[in-house]
């Protein structure tokens, strides 16, 4: 994974996105187990990265997140995220606030209102 971008026009690649998703999963693993169990209902989650044409899937449960795997049908997940590769990397590095990314359209979240409220409590 590249650590510094030599050119601002270089976009993140699949390896960068996988690493970013791994960092996000690690952060969720650091959440207090009781807090996580209180707010988590088992859900499938997809992350569509349209600028790379990639999608990943995981399962959220009281124990955290399963590993992310490639997904051929991201629309079938219960919670669907859409984010460009550079924004995904920025979110994982805490360089982009999830609420701000969502408010500005850089992060799209499709889920039930109840799932959105639960996710908000975890972020």
């Amino acid at each position: 994974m590249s650590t510094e971008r030599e050119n601002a026009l270089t976009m993140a690649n699949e390896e960068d996105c996988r690493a970013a998703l791994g960092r996000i999963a690690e952060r969720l693993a650091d959440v207090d187990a009781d807090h996580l169990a209180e707010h988590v209902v088992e859900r499938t989650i997809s992350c569509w990265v349209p600028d790379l044409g990639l999608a990943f899937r995981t399962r959220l449960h009281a124990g955290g997140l399963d590993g992310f795997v490639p997904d051929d049908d991201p629309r079938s997940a219960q919670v669907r995220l859409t984010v460009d590769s550079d924004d995904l990397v920025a979110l994982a590095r805490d360089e982009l606030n999830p609420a701000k990314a969502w408010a500005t359209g850089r992060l799209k979240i499709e889920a039930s209102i109840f799932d959105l409220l639960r996710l908000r409590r975890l972020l």
Side-chain angles (χ1 to χ4, degrees), residues 69-117:
V69 296
D71 187 5
D72 292 332
D73 187 16
R75 301 285 314 153
S76 68
Q78 294 163 309
V79 177
R80 297 167 302 283
L81 310 175
T82 302
V83 61
D84 281 335
S85 58
D86 289 336
D87 290 334
L88 176 59
V89 170
L91 286 164
R93 292 181 177 163
D94 283 334
E95 297 167 357
L96 179 60
N97 178 287
K100 182 177 180 181
W102 174 78
T104 59
R106 294 168 69 180
L107 170 65
K108 295 178 180 80
I109 304 171
E110 297 175 74
S112 74
I113 188 69
F114 300 111
D115 288 337
L116 289 172
L117 291 171

Side-chain angles (χ1 to χ4, degrees), residues 52-73:
L52 297 180
L54 298 171
F56 302 93
R57 179 179 293 255
T58 187
R59 184 178 62 95
L60 176 67
H61 49 86
L65 281 176
D66 290 346
F68 284 89
V69 296
D71 187 5
D72 292 332
D73 187 16

Side-chain angles (χ1 to χ4, degrees), residues 18-75:
R18 285 182 180 275
L21 291 168
R23 279 193 295 281
I24 291 168
E26 287 172 6
R27 246 192 315 219
L28 190 59
D30 290 340
V31 173
D32 177 72
D34 291 335
H35 180 73
L36 190 63
E38 180 181 336
H39 296 291
V40 169
V41 174
E42 186 172 319
R43 292 287 183 259
T44 55
I45 299 175
S46 67
C47 181
W48 167 241
V49 185
D51 60 325
L52 297 180
L54 298 171
F56 302 93
R57 179 179 293 255
T58 187
R59 184 178 62 95
L60 176 67
H61 49 86
L65 281 176
D66 290 346
F68 284 89
V69 296
D71 187 5
D72 292 332
D73 187 16
R75 301 285 314 153

